[in-house]
Amino acid sequence: MNRPSTRGAGGRFALVSLFIALATVVFGAGPVPAADAGGSWWEPTARPAPDSQINVTGAPFTGTDASGKVRGFVDAHNHLMSNEGFGGRMICGRTFSAAGIADALKDCPEHYPDGSGALFEHVTGGDNGKHDPVGWPTFTHWPANDSLSHQQNYYAWVERAWRGGQRVLVNDLVTNGLICSLLPRDRGCDEMDAIRLEARKTYELQDYVDKMYGGPGKGWFRVVTDSAQARSVIEQGKLAVVLGVEASEPFGCKMILDVAQCDQADIDKGLDELYGLGVRSMFLCHKFDNALCGVRFDSGTTGVAVNIGQFLSTGTFWTTEKCTGPQADNPIGLAAAPAALAEKLPPGVTVPSYASDARCNKRGLTRLGEYALKGMMQRGMMLELDHMSVKAAGRALDILESEEYPGVLSSHSWMDLDWTERLYRLGGFAASYMHGAQGFVGEAAQKADLRRKYGVGFGYGTDMNGVGGWPGPVGENAPNAVTYPFKSFDGGSTLDRQVTGERTWDLNKDGAAHNGLVPDWVEQIRLTPGGPAVVEELSRGAESYLTTWKATERHELGVNLASGAPTAASTTQWWNPFVDYSPGLATDGNTGTRWASEWSDDQWWQVDLGSSRRIGRVTLDWEAAYARAYRIELSDNGTDWRSVWSTDSGDGGYDTAEFASQSARYVRVHGERRGTGWGYSLHEVKVTRS
């Protein structure tokens, strides 16, 4: 979920204003024969009546291009089922209903009879205190590009996006326990329960579509769990749907007063369950700092609201520090806390002020977060970098690079763009948020050279149902106004204005009100200066996403040749008889233990691999006491040493020393100059072939 436009609230809406400010940033009849059914595989044999029109003619493209590559767009960040999260009443309306469109596209109960009870919508949607709650068939006031509480992913609108060229959709299962606890709700607020329900509803949608096409496996909506399956689906011209997770407290891993509320067993159990549900990508943190990582801040008044939400959830506010590199988190801003929000804080507690030159979250990737990341890697899952603080993202990239692990994604413009080359170098995939056409083209241009360098396509993240705000109308006379009907990017389909019930949608007049208008938005990009090249890159997005996914699945984590092997060190720190810092703790597989030397330069740690082994890489996980200058040495006999790698600019954290592969029995890390006033201290050392 992304950050929407911030809107104010009156004091009389004190409690609701808190709901709004937090929520806006987190985030019939039976089937009858289809009228136009003519035996074409892409047309259903039966569709519910009444229902939405698709308004696309022509066959969806299938197969591969001359190079054997699939074509099509990637929506790398969507929330098909977020109406089932947040207690079930934040997003009004459903993606589908067995009872038909009238049941699916109806407003929340508190919005009737005239919208006056929909305080969330008033503050976020600009309806001036009232709106027509009727969806089907009139849709007078919703969905709209600035209506953040109404369904945008009705299945027929998703179908139109598919018919217009989309071939991959990442459905991020999303919720937030705190927001759920503050909003009207008809279910509990456990985040894992919401994720389970949203996953189940996604499979039920697949069954719902299949039924229209004659039975299991025949519909266009296909949930996929591996890249080969996804490629097969796309080659058939259908939509490959990938499950992801974007939750604030995955596995119950929230933090209260800096104390983690989960452990490694909870993470293992949670990852196994998510994988079993079909989840293949996920965020480790979202909006609030949790037990796994710190988040990238929201800005201005919105940032103040989320910071208050963080306090209510965790008991702590964000803490900042000066950044140590070119990357930075979003500025929190110096806006005063709205009175309605400040009232929710305990007496005497106020939102802290922040130095304008301290742009980075102090919280990075925790040891539990590292454990979760490594667990994802062991299961072949892809990590979402968006929403991670710079400190957390940098550490995550260090770990991924130490294993050359390609499974890393940035799906909706929340990653600092200075990380982009590291992402592409690993083999990852990036997409940009669904901005207005001109803004999207501008953002795409920033890293176009890198995409050419690494030969990758591009994606978009619509964040539909994600409480983020979407491109507004440009007007019928705009230079890039869409002329209806228009051709799909491949020239094989014709798209006219989309009609649902009594409402006809026009991107020029209505903006990107729902998912069915994504093809119209792509056409508007094409009509924007610089846009044709961007659309070409988007058409290669499906292939690039699958390339990242396949490489992730095929990746084999390197075996640590040093694990459990005999170790030695020049010295071992001793100051407490009850604390062990012996050298063997650097190869015990536990990042909670460490070897530590005495507090002086020229110290070493070494491992005996037992026999001569081929070695090409040594990965070091430094504790706070790190080496500024050190070298990696190898030996065949433990007496005669040769230096194979060195640095005099070590900065701690994760270091990976790579060198020409060669045989040796002994490996030594030789510290020459300390980076701190302490000694040298290593949590873990990993020795691999390459």
Side-chain angles (χ1 to χ4, degrees), residues 440-473:
F440 187 89
V441 170
E443 185 168 324
Q446 295 183 55
K447 298 301 177 183
D449 288 344
L450 281 180
R451 291 193 295 277
R452 284 191 289 271
K453 176 180 177 180
Y454 289 94
V456 296
F458 197 38
Y460 52 77
T462 64
D463 204 14
M464 290 287 175
N465 283 2
V467 196
W470 296 271

Side-chain angles (χ1 to χ4, degrees), residues 42-352:
W42 60 89
E43 296 289 357
T45 56
R47 189 188 293 276
D51 205 357
S52 174
Q53 298 180 37
I54 309 303
N55 306 105
V56 183
T57 58
F61 56 87
T62 60
T64 59
D65 64 16
S67 301
K69 297 179 178 180
V70 298
R71 296 171 292 164
F73 307 139
V74 179
D75 184 350
H77 193 100
N78 198 323
H79 303 289
L80 293 180
M81 298 298 172
S82 62
N83 57 287
E84 304 291 353
F86 306 95
R89 298 267 279 278
M90 190 175 87
I91 304 296
C92 305
R94 304 182 209 172
T95 309
F96 73 103
S97 170
I101 191 170
D103 182 64
L105 295 181
K106 63 182 181 182
D107 220 333
C108 291
E110 57 271 18
H111 291 205
Y112 290 89
D114 60 1
S116 58
L119 299 182
F120 173 74
E121 180 68 9
H122 304 337
V123 175
T124 63
D127 62 358
N128 297 318
K130 290 187 178 182
H131 71 266
D132 182 354
V134 177
W136 174 269
T138 55
F139 300 103
T140 302
H141 286 151
W142 64 270
N145 73 286
D146 59 353
S147 175
L148 307 185
S149 69
H150 291 105
Q151 181 62 242
Q152 298 177 295
N153 278 321
Y154 184 61
Y155 92 92
W157 300 336
V158 179
E159 182 177 350
R160 178 179 160 92
W162 157 62
R163 290 286 299 274
Q166 189 168 291
R167 291 297 179 267
V168 177
L169 185 152
V170 180
N171 177 28
D172 283 317
L173 315 176
V174 63
T175 193
N176 180 286
L178 176 68
I179 292 175
C180 172
S181 71
L182 298 174
L183 287 169
R185 61 188 184 276
D186 53 24
R187 63 201 63 176
C189 294
D190 182 272
E191 292 196 358
M192 290 300 290
D193 283 346
I195 288 168
R196 295 180 190 107
L197 176 59
E198 291 180 43
R200 176 166 62 83
K201 286 293 184 179
T202 305
Y203 287 103
E204 288 179 6
L205 174 56
Q206 177 176 259
D207 294 340
Y208 181 77
V209 174
D210 277 353
K211 188 175 181 180
M212 295 182 206
Y213 285 78
K218 294 187 177 181
W220 54 268
F221 184 96
R222 313 308 313 156
V223 181
V224 296
T225 55
D226 63 61
S227 64
Q229 186 183 19
R231 185 173 294 277
S232 175
V233 164
I234 297 169
E235 288 176 350
Q236 296 171 51
K238 299 181 180 183
L239 179 68
V241 179
V242 186
L243 295 184
V245 166
E246 184 183 40
S248 297
E249 300 163 6
F251 330 124
C253 283
K254 73 179 300 177
M255 179 178 61
I256 299 178
L257 297 175
D258 293 327
V259 177
Q261 304 300 298
C262 68
D263 57 22
Q264 291 183 355
D266 294 320
I267 292 170
D268 286 332
K269 180 181 178 182
L271 284 173
D272 284 342
E273 180 180 10
L274 291 182
Y275 194 88
L277 290 172
V279 172
R280 295 297 181 265
S281 65
M282 72 175 295
F283 297 77
L284 290 181
C285 51
H286 179 232
K287 294 303 178 184
F288 303 155
D289 295 340
N290 62 22
L292 306 178
C293 55
V295 295
R296 198 163 191 234
F297 309 130
D298 285 270
S299 300
T301 303
T302 299
V304 174
V306 181
N307 203 5
I308 290 175
Q310 155 135 337
F311 181 87
L312 296 175
S313 179
T314 70
T316 61
F317 290 106
W318 288 327
T319 54
T320 64
E321 62 186 8
K322 291 185 177 180
C323 302
T324 58
Q327 298 82 12
D329 293 320
N330 297 320
I332 296 176
L334 304 176
L341 299 180
E343 289 173 2
K344 306 307 162 191
L345 294 171
V349 176
T350 59
V351 179

